[in-house]
Amino acid sequence: RVAEALAELAPYAGERGVKLALEPLHPVYCPDRAVLSTLGQALDLSLAHPEEQVGVVVDTFHVWWDPRLPDEIARAGRRIASYQVCDYLHPLPADVLLGRGMMGDGVIAFPPITRAVLAAGYTGDIEVEIFNADVWATDPDEVVATMKARYEDVVLATG
């Protein structure tokens, strides 16, 4: 169904200067939110279309666990339309949608993913995307200060 929809939507979007981006979601979301669980699945579907029309999203929360992730990021190359970071908290809260944490508070090793994304040729923004009630309830100035420090010390860490 996704391939059929892309066949119709990609040319339409491309004619209007819009690039569609396929975002795989962690397998925990398969029952109710997603049909793509790996970057490889998203990339395979995107390859039938010009890279200006269909790309992929590398969202650390959703793809960190995939043992093929480094190879798939390299294969994606310029098709990477977005790089999103936040951490995967363990154990997950009852509402798994809110299981995203500040980088460094969970289980994701960010530097190898970031290096792979940049080595693949991605030059766009790196988005911090955290769905977490505790973060939302924290003073915004504190959240931004923590986010900036963690971005430099955790996401972009070279060690």
Side-chain angles (χ1 to χ4, degrees):
R1 289 184 186 167
V2 175
E4 290 171 6
L6 281 174
E8 182 177 341
L9 295 173
Y12 180 85
E15 290 169 2
R16 287 150 183 83
V18 173
K19 182 175 187 172
L20 303 176
L22 301 175
E23 181 175 1
L25 301 186
H26 191 281
V28 74
Y29 293 105
C30 285
D32 62 352
R33 292 189 186 272
V35 296
L36 301 175
S37 295
T38 67
L39 185 59
Q41 291 170 333
L43 186 56
D44 288 346
L45 286 169
S46 77
L47 292 175
H49 308 279
E51 68 183 35
E52 299 80 28
Q53 291 181 3
V54 182
V56 295
V57 176
V58 177
D59 182 330
T60 56
F61 179 82
H62 292 298
V63 299
W64 69 271
W65 59 272
D66 186 349
R68 294 202 33 82
L69 185 59
D71 294 333
E72 296 299 348
I73 290 172
R75 187 167 73 104
R78 295 185 314 179
R79 283 197 184 264
I80 299 174
S82 177
Y83 179 40
Q84 300 172 352
V85 296
C86 68
D87 221 330
Y88 188 96
L89 301 178
H90 188 76
L92 284 170
D95 184 348
V96 297
L97 182 63
L98 302 180
R100 299 171 185 231
M102 188 66 69
M103 299 78 67
D105 287 346
V107 300
I108 297 175
F110 289 94
I113 299 172
T114 300
R115 284 193 300 270
V117 167
L118 296 177
Y122 181 72
T123 59
D125 295 331
I126 299 176
E127 303 172 62
V128 176
E129 183 184 63
I130 301 173
F131 300 154
N132 182 296
D134 292 337
V135 171
W136 295 338
T138 302
D139 176 83
D141 292 334
E142 183 181 332
V143 171
V144 170
T146 301
M147 180 189 66
K148 287 171 59 177
R150 298 286 183 89
Y151 180 82
E152 290 180 13
D153 297 341
V154 178
V155 175
L156 299 180
T158 58

